[in-house]
Structures are given as C-alpha cells and as structure tokens.
Amino acid sequence: MHNILILGSGGREHTLAWKICQSDLCNNLYVGPGNGGTSSVADNVDLDLSDFRQIAEFCQEKSISYIIVGPEQPLVDGIVDYFQKHHPSIKVFGPDKQSAQLEGSKDFANQFMAKYNIPTAGSKTFDGTTLEEGLEYIKNSKAPYVLKADGLAAGKGVLIIEDQEEALQALKEMLGGKFGEASSKVVIEEFLDGIEFSMFVLTNGKEYVILPEAKDYKRIGEGDKGLNTGGMGAVSPVPFLDKVLLEKVKKQVIEPTIAGFAEEKMNYTGFVFIGLIKVEDEPFVIEYNCRMGDPETEVVIPRLETDLMKLIVAAFDQNLSTKQVKFTDQSACTVMMVSGGYPEKYEKGKTISLPEELDGSIIFQAGTKMKDDKLVTNGGRVAAITSFHQDFKQAVSKSLRLAEKVQFDKKYYRTDIGFDL
Ligand code: AMP
Ligand code: GLY
C-alpha cells in the first residue's frame, strides 16, 4: 500500500484520481492542487506546481512514495530530476527534463524521429539567424504552410496558413518573439492531409504497454470550426483504427520510439502520448506529449480494466513486460462542458448543479472548486461527461442527455463529438 500524490487540477487529474483510488495499492491519495471533483475521491492539497521544494516537504510529511504528474510544465521544468537528486526514494512518474524535450521542443522531437526512422512530416527549423533562409523556404514550398513554435506555447504555437504572404509575415512575427522564447526557433513542416488520432503508451524507457487509443475534438465549434481549445470531447476506441493500421502504428511508431528511448538511455518512466495522422492508409506522427491528454484521459482510463497503479509500480520495478493490459470493448465518449466565451474571455464563480442520477456515466470535473459548500466554476473547461455504450454514438447521446441536466450560467458544449467517424 502506498501514499500517492497526483499533480494537476483538470479533468485528467480527476480521472486519474478516480482510477487510482480504486487500486489495491493505494493507501492515502492526494491531489495538488486538485479541483471540486478530486476532493470527492482524494484529499486536495494547495500545492504550487512550480515549487518543487514545497511539493517535497508535503511528500515527506505524508510519506508519499509515488507522484503522478498530470500536466507537462513541471516535467519540462525538471520535477523528475529534482526528486531523483534530492529525494530519490520518492518516485515521480514522468520523464526527466531532457526527455520531456520530446514535448518541450518540436525540433528535438523531429530530430529524434529522423534518427529512429519514425514516419513524420518533412520539416526544417529556423531561428533569428536564418530568417532569410526560412522566408526562401516558404517561397519554394506549397500551401498550406505549417509553422510551429519550437517550445511550449499553451497549445497556440501551431499556425496553418493558406496564403504565402501571410506565412512569410507569420514567420517574421514568430521569430520576432510572438510567442516569446517558445518561438525563438520555428519549425516549418510539410502539411499532412488526413484524419487524426492518438495513442497512449506507459513505459519505463525499455518496456512498455499500450493503453486504449482516442480521438479528441479541439475546436470550439460544431463541425470542427472556430478557435482551438484544450479539447471539447473525445472518443475511444477510434473506429478507423483497424488491426492493419494498429499493427503499422506498433511496428513503425511505438516500437522504434521505445527502442529510441532505450538507445538514447532516456530517463523516462511515464506516459507517452503520440499524436498521429492517418494519411491514406499510413500513420505519421505529428507530435509527442510526455503526459496523458485532456480530455483523452477521460475516455482512455475509464476503459482500462487493469489496475493502473500496478502498471505504474511495475514500470518502476522493471517488470512491465510481464503485465497484461485489459480494457473493455465498450466505447467511451466524453463531452466537455465549458464556460461561455471560452477559449477567450469567460467568467468564473458560477454555481454548478449536477444531476443526481448518472445512469452509469461519470462526470469528471475540471475547472471547478468548492466555495462555502457550493460547487462553482473556476475555469474555461468545467466538466467532462463520460458515457459508455457498445455503439459510440449511443454513448455520445447519453452524455448529451446529462449535459442538458448540468446547470451553470452560460454553459456551452459541442453536440457533435464523433461526427466525422
Ligand atoms: P500540435 O501542437 O503539433 O499537435 O499541432 C496542433 C494541430 O495542428 C494538430 O492537432 C493538427 O491538427 C495540426 N497539425 C500539426 N502538424 C501538422 C502537419 N504537419 N500537417 C497538418 N496538420 C498539422
Ligand atoms: N487534448 C490535447 C492535449 O491534452 O494536449
């Protein structure tokens, strides 16, 4: 039995806490800082994710043996390195700072994929000293132009532009500091035309197990229109990921990725989230993330029948390859309820009322908090409603019926999750 701390405050962390609190290995469970939902399955603790010393003090006080890191920022900032150096008995599930560059630097990820022959878009990287070459490169390429800030830019760092003049202007602005340090280098990529899906792998850098796949819906509007968000919904499994495509993903992407981790001696015990695009019948990687996705977690983890904590412990104990992963063949779908105005300006502090009868569905809370015994909104993405059914369309309908019953001022959600499947 272990005392476990989950870091983060979104729907992803509520889902991880919901799963881990059911584990035979879980004694006391804490979520820092958590949200209104995590407090129903764990103890919330007011932690600052950039203050590793404060986190370490809390862990010592509560005899924490495992930390599971939800979001990427603490990983990119080196939380794994900090604990390995100062508190090696506390195991932090996630890659070290260098390995987190797989998400933290598009250029690093592209070099890794090139070295290990992992299929991805052709690309070239430019910085302030090679602006002229970058402009020339755009002039000699075909639209649409894909420009990516090299570093983390809160999900806003990828621009896909039709017009050449606009692309030239965008490159100048990005290298001129549009996304601060994150766009001091810009990756220009070939545009891949296809349908996206994501794979999730749990690894210790040598061994791995594959978790259920998912497809998320990033745009705010129906039919995938409008601004990008953190994610408005997701489904798992992905109907077009058939045996043949899955086999290609395993052989061409997952196996060489983990072989690359081993070859590079990467210090990586954690989740790998691989964003893929199917072009005709072939998989291409568009990004690596060094953590689970949100809201993908809200459909992937509920489908997992295996004890997640046993997999995490096995990863640290170097016996992951002996583990079988079981998941239900039922489809899961999640519909994200957001505050009106999101992803731009929105209000917080609206009273939330949740339906009593959930009929097998689960409401994972995201931007919520308890205020004087009342649940109120505290973010753009408020709650993800996950439902299950043999037919994913029925699962979506179940979530939509519940979404009508969730009440808060200016609530909004997409009704077309899975529309393209
Ligand atoms: P990323 O932050 O790398 O996931 O990119 C954000 C979104 O941009 C992805 O989810 C894709 O929809 C799109 N995208 C990224 N790279 C490409 C590419 N090379 N070709 C087409 N679309 C892309
Ligand atoms: N849903 C996309 C992400 O978590 O990055």
Side-chain angles (χ1 to χ4, degrees), residues 257-369:
T257 295
I258 305 301
F261 286 10
E263 181 69 26
E264 301 291 319
K265 299 196 166 47
M266 279 161 75
N267 183 350
Y268 197 133
T269 298
F271 295 113
V272 193
F273 164 171
I274 310 175
L276 294 137
I277 192 158
K278 174 172 98 79
V279 182
E280 286 160 4
D281 287 321
E282 298 301 319
F284 289 83
V285 175
I286 46 176
E287 65 171 343
Y288 286 107
N289 293 312
C290 60
R291 42 141 184 117
M292 286 298 290
D294 194 352
E296 291 88 338
T297 306
E298 288 92 309
V299 290
V300 169
I301 295 298
R303 287 190 62 221
L304 188 68
E305 288 169 342
T306 310
D307 183 331
L308 176 62
M309 206 53 218
K310 286 190 180 156
L311 295 176
I312 291 174
V313 170
F316 281 108
D317 291 348
Q318 314 298 319
N319 66 2
L320 194 54
S321 43
T322 65
K323 297 287 174 225
Q324 291 285 324
V325 176
K326 275 209 209 138
F327 34 93
T328 155
D329 60 3
Q330 285 222 324
S331 286
C333 133
T334 202
V335 172
M336 188 63 82
M337 311 224 27
V338 306
S339 304
Y342 172 80
E344 296 184 288
K345 239 175 90 112
Y346 57 85
E347 291 166 29
K348 293 186 189 175
K350 308 285 184 193
T351 304
I352 306 170
S353 118
L354 299 175
E356 296 269 316
E357 188 45 66
L358 297 182
D359 190 22
S361 299
I362 310 171
I363 300 182
F364 293 116
Q365 296 181 31
T368 71
K369 69 172 184 186

Side-chain angles (χ1 to χ4, degrees), residues 2-246:
H2 301 287
N3 293 340
I4 300 161
L5 169 65
I6 297 172
L7 294 178
S9 58
R12 167 181 50 208
E13 288 75 19
H14 186 183
T15 312
L16 292 170
W18 166 85
K19 179 71 178 169
I20 286 172
C21 77
Q22 302 174 50
S23 169
D24 298 338
L25 299 180
C26 180
N27 186 27
N28 294 326
L29 181 63
Y30 302 91
V31 185
N35 61 36
T38 57
S39 58
S40 65
V41 290
D43 284 339
N44 282 356
V45 289
D46 191 15
L47 294 175
D48 170 358
L49 300 195
S50 64
D51 187 346
F52 300 159
R53 256 182 76 167
Q54 179 205 38
I55 297 171
E57 277 165 18
F58 173 78
C59 290
Q60 285 180 310
E61 186 187 314
K62 299 291 183 188
S63 305
I64 300 290
S65 35
Y66 290 90
I67 302 177
I68 296 155
V69 185
E72 62 278 13
Q73 195 68 52
L75 296 165
V76 172
D77 291 345
I79 189 167
V80 168
D81 313 60
Y82 179 88
F83 275 84
Q84 285 178 351
K85 183 164 176 216
H86 300 286
H87 306 277
S89 65
I90 302 171
K91 299 188 173 71
V92 184
F93 192 65
D96 73 354
K97 186 173 181 159
Q98 172 65 21
S99 308
Q101 287 299 301
L102 223 39
E103 174 164 1
S105 163
K106 306 267 184 207
D107 185 38
F108 179 93
N110 283 338
Q111 289 185 29
F112 175 85
M113 287 187 272
K115 184 163 174 190
Y116 293 99
N117 268 318
I118 295 164
T120 185
S123 70
K124 230 171 139 58
T125 304
F126 301 94
D127 62 19
T129 67
T130 52
L131 170 63
E132 288 306 320
E133 289 160 46
L135 297 173
E136 217 36 52
Y137 186 83
I138 291 176
K139 285 180 194 156
N140 294 323
S141 322
K142 289 198 310 268
Y145 306 93
V146 181
L147 273 61
K148 297 186 174 184
D150 176 56
L152 294 182
K156 299 192 172 65
V158 176
L159 302 181
I160 298 177
I161 303 175
E162 282 295 333
D163 181 69
Q164 191 176 85
E165 277 309 314
E166 262 181 57
L168 294 169
Q169 188 57 30
L171 180 65
K172 286 184 209 159
E173 286 172 10
M174 287 171 89
L175 289 177
K178 177 170 179 165
F179 299 107
E181 188 55 34
S183 65
S184 62
K185 282 199 263 179
V186 173
V187 177
I188 304 183
E189 265 182 25
E190 164 199 8
F191 178 78
L192 297 173
D193 193 7
I195 187 160
E196 288 177 47
F197 63 105
S198 302
M199 298 293 304
F200 302 89
V201 178
L202 190 159
T203 187
N204 55 20
K206 295 186 271 306
E207 306 166 294
Y208 65 93
V209 293
I210 301 175
L211 303 177
E213 79 277 7
K215 182 175 196 311
D216 81 330
Y217 292 81
K218 288 201 181 71
R219 302 296 191 96
I220 188 73
E222 311 257 310
D224 279 345
K225 303 262 165 28
L227 294 174
N228 251 320
T229 70
M232 295 296 292
V235 294
S236 174
V238 174
F240 63 79
L241 183 66
D242 57 17
K243 281 207 172 79
V244 178
L245 181 59
L246 180 60

